[in-house]
């Protein structure tokens, strides 16, 4: 009786330990980059991987702008990072990617107040149903369209401060993405609509980096898409209640913590010699081929044109609007 129960408990514990530590191939802590004189923006910088990324950049001496929706959380995180790193150059600026008006306001405020920009880290991400004030699916707008517009509005500044980099936090979930260009920005039909929409937005992220690199050849602005690892952050805060215990226990077993999840982003932001890999996809701090749809140059160009149209960067005739 008792012996078997103890043995069973021991085996379960052993299995658990094996799973937890065997499956989490955590990258080794990185050598700290020397980032004095560098200005970085981290979207979604108030929590999760974004905050962990901002913390490391601040440790390296960078000036860091946390671009996030909640002023309360954003200010608190900026204060915590300043205290923890002794770097006073960490500030919060309000950005709501679910509002293209907010994206434009953030960009113009940033360009007015901050003379330099060397690193744009498009990190914010959500997985949730709902529609934005602009009429797009919340997930697709936050994960792709809002970041697309932000990147375009800041590109001139990145160019003038080159060498500079854009890092786009994508996900291995891009493997299940299907871009329906005729209905871009609108949630796909079916019971798994929110999940599909998330995967679609992540495919858009990888394709965005690819096409951006093509357009930035010879500018010394490079860009990278990254899979951060399945990280235990608040991505599931919108999951149905009955599913939460399962997701959270799985997350605890398999997911990296936020500091580990920031490693590949930091690698692509700061590692020397990556320029020749502009437009490519990284996971575990290493180059990886993404899924075939994410290497489709015609799809990348079509996504670019559609995105420009949807965020109002070109008029309906295809001429850039002022």
């Amino acid at each position: 009786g008792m012996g078997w129960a103890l043995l069973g408990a021991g085996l379960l514990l052993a299995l658990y330990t094996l799973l937890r530590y065997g499956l989490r191939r955590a990258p080794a802590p990185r050598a700290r980059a020397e980032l004095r004189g560098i200005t970085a923006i981290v979207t979604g910088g108030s929590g999760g991987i974004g905050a962990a990324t901002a913390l490391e950049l601040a440790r390296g001496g960078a000036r860091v702008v946390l671009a996030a929706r909640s002023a309360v959380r954003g200010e608190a995180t900026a204060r915590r990072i300043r205290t923890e790193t002794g770097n006073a150059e960490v500030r919060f600026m309000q950005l709501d990617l679910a509002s293209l008006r907010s994206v434009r306001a953030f960009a113009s405020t940033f360009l007015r107040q901050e003379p330099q920009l060397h690193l744009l880290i498009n990190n914010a991400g959500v997985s949730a149903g709902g529609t934005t004030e602009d009429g797009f699916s919340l997930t697709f707008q936050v994960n792709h369209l809002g970041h697309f517009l932000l990147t375009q509005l800041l590109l001139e500044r990145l160019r003038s401060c080159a060498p500079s980099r854009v890092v786009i936090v994508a996900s291995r979930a891009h493997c299940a993405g299907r871009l329906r260009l005729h209905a871009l920005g609108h949630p796909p039909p079916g019971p798994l609509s929110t999940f599909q929409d998330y995967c679609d937005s992540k495919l858009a992220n990888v394709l965005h980096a690819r096409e951006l690199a093509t357009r930035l050849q010879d500018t010394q602005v490079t860009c990278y898409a990254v899979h951060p690892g399945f990280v235990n952050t608040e991505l599931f805060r919108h999951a149905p209640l009955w599913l939460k215990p399962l997701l959270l226990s799985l997350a605890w077993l398999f997911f990296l913590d936020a500091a580990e999840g920031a490693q590949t982003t930091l690698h692509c932001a700061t590692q020397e010699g990556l320029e020749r890999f502009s437009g490519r996809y990284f996971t575990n701090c290493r180059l990886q081929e993404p899924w075939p749809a994410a290497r489709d140059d015609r799809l990348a160009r079509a996504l670019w044109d559609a995105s420009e149209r949807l965020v109002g960067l070109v008029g309906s005739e295809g001429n850039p609007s002022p």
Side-chain angles (χ1 to χ4, degrees):
M2 190 65 182
W4 285 113
L6 280 172
L7 182 66
L11 280 172
L12 275 174
L13 190 65
L15 175 68
Y16 169 73
T17 308
L18 189 74
L19 282 172
R20 174 130 166 110
Y21 295 100
L23 288 166
R24 303 166 35 131
R25 295 193 316 284
R30 10 195 355 275
R32 191 146 297 140
E34 178 43 70
L35 300 173
R36 261 173 265 280
I38 296 285
T39 297
I41 292 173
V42 182
T43 71
S46 67
I49 310 183
T53 303
L55 176 69
E56 277 305 306
L57 294 173
R59 278 204 180 115
R63 176 169 178 80
V64 185
V65 173
L66 305 182
R69 199 180 38 187
S70 157
V72 174
R73 289 184 61 196
E75 295 285 10
T77 304
R79 194 160 50 243
R80 174 172 71 78
I81 293 175
R82 287 194 300 267
T83 306
E84 208 168 313
T85 61
N87 179 349
E89 313 271 294
V90 180
R91 60 173 299 207
F92 160 77
M93 279 180 70
Q94 217 269 336
L95 167 67
D96 181 2
L97 289 152
S99 157
L100 296 177
R101 202 182 40 191
S102 171
V103 174
R104 291 177 185 278
F106 170 89
S108 74
T109 304
F110 178 89
L111 293 170
R112 199 170 60 243
Q113 295 179 357
E114 296 287 338
Q116 297 191 303
L117 179 60
H118 308 92
L119 285 177
L120 172 59
I121 298 184
N122 290 338
N123 161 87
V126 296
S127 172
T131 306
T132 66
E133 65 183 45
D134 303 291
F136 301 116
S137 101
L138 179 68
T139 293
F140 199 83
Q141 179 166 332
V142 170
N143 297 1
H144 171 65
L145 289 171
H147 277 129
F148 178 87
L149 175 59
L150 179 68
T151 305
Q152 288 306 99
L153 295 176
L154 296 175
L155 212 46
E156 234 359 272
R157 181 63 49 85
L158 283 161
R159 273 211 180 104
S160 67
C161 295
S164 55
R165 295 183 185 185
V166 179
V167 180
I168 299 171
V169 178
S171 164
R172 197 169 293 144
H174 78 269
C175 68
R178 302 190 297 264
L179 290 181
R180 298 160 316 125
L181 291 165
H182 62 283
L184 200 68
H186 300 287
L192 292 175
S193 174
T194 303
F195 176 71
Q196 184 63 52
D197 203 23
Y198 178 75
C199 297
D200 296 351
S201 73
K202 292 294 146 182
L203 173 57
N205 288 157
V206 184
L207 288 167
H208 178 202
R210 192 174 179 91
E211 179 67 14
L212 184 57
T214 302
R215 290 166 185 256
L216 290 174
Q217 274 163 4
D218 313 319
T219 62
Q220 279 200 295
V221 183
T222 54
C223 59
Y224 312 88
V226 309
H227 169 64
F230 288 101
V231 177
N232 184 8
T233 66
E234 296 165 33
L235 202 57
F236 298 127
R237 59 178 174 264
H238 304 290
L241 265 178
W242 59 268
L243 198 53
K244 281 218 164 110
L246 176 66
L247 287 173
L248 290 173
S249 49
L250 274 174
W252 202 53
L253 261 180
F254 299 118
F255 290 18
L256 307 165
D257 64 31
E260 292 168 316
Q263 297 299 321
T264 305
T265 299
L266 289 162
H267 176 80
C268 288
T270 63
Q271 183 68 36
E272 282 175 35
L274 293 188
E275 287 74 16
R276 66 185 183 280
F277 302 123
S278 185
R280 306 283 296 278
Y281 172 77
F282 284 73
T283 180
N284 272 326
C285 298
R286 285 194 299 274
L287 195 60
Q288 194 179 62
E289 283 300 320
W291 287 70
R295 306 198 292 267
D296 180 336
D297 287 319
R298 281 176 51 199
L299 184 58
R301 200 162 320 123
L303 170 68
W304 185 283
D305 294 340
S307 301
E308 273 192 329
R309 209 167 50 247
L310 292 179
V311 302
L313 283 172
V314 291
S316 46
E317 277 78 68
N319 308 317
S321 56

